[in-house]
């Protein structure tokens, strides 16, 4: 499932090399949200949590097995599963 989401509409196809999914961001890196690949209730949840276009986020740490991922959005912390993080396209700051 994640491989489908990772390649779907990714901006690498359009020549922008500094784009990737939130899943591919290393701990300590900061980036900006570009868009979501999610639909329906999941997309609305992302928006409610502050994952809106141009919002700056930072990956804080990964769990031992890499799932979930802790992310700082503005002034609070959110944990996302790998499958959710793969649905958010980001751009390096």
């Amino acid at each position: 499932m994640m491989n489908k989401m990772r390649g779907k509409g990714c901006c690498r196809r359009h020549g922008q090399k500094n784009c990737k999914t939130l899943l591919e961001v290393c701990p300590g890196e900061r980036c900006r949200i570009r868009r979501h690949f999610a639909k329906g209730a999941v997309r609305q949840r992302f928006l409610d949590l502050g994952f809106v276009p141009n919002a700056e986020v930072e990956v804080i740490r990964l769990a031992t097995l890499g799932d979930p991922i802790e992310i700082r959005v503005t002034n609070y912390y959110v944990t996302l599963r790998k499958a959710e993080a793969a649905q958010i396209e980001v751009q390096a700051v």
Side-chain angles (χ1 to χ4, degrees):
M1 182 173 116
M2 287 190 301
N3 291 336
K4 289 180 188 177
M5 299 309 293
R6 195 173 283 173
K8 182 181 177 185
C10 184
C11 57
R12 288 183 184 164
R13 291 181 181 175
H14 299 99
Q16 297 179 8
K17 297 177 183 173
N18 59 348
C19 285
K20 51 189 168 184
T21 65
L22 194 53
L23 178 61
E24 299 167 322
V25 178
C26 296
E29 276 188 71
R30 295 168 68 183
C31 54
R32 288 195 186 277
I33 304 290
R34 287 184 47 91
R35 61 182 170 172
H36 304 127
F37 297 123
K39 301 213 184 285
V42 176
R43 180 178 174 80
Q44 187 59 50
R45 179 175 172 251
F46 286 156
L47 296 172
D48 292 343
L49 288 172
F51 291 96
V52 294
N54 293 321
E56 191 171 300
V57 297
E58 178 182 4
V59 174
I60 302 300
R61 61 183 164 198
L62 304 175
T64 306
L65 298 175
D67 197 16
I69 302 168
E70 183 178 8
I71 302 162
R72 183 182 57 80
V73 182
T74 59
N75 61 350
Y76 60 94
Y77 296 86
V78 177
T79 55
L80 295 178
R81 293 184 175 156
K82 284 182 178 180
E84 295 169 331
Q87 296 178 9
I88 300 174
E89 185 177 278
V90 296
Q91 183 174 15
V93 183

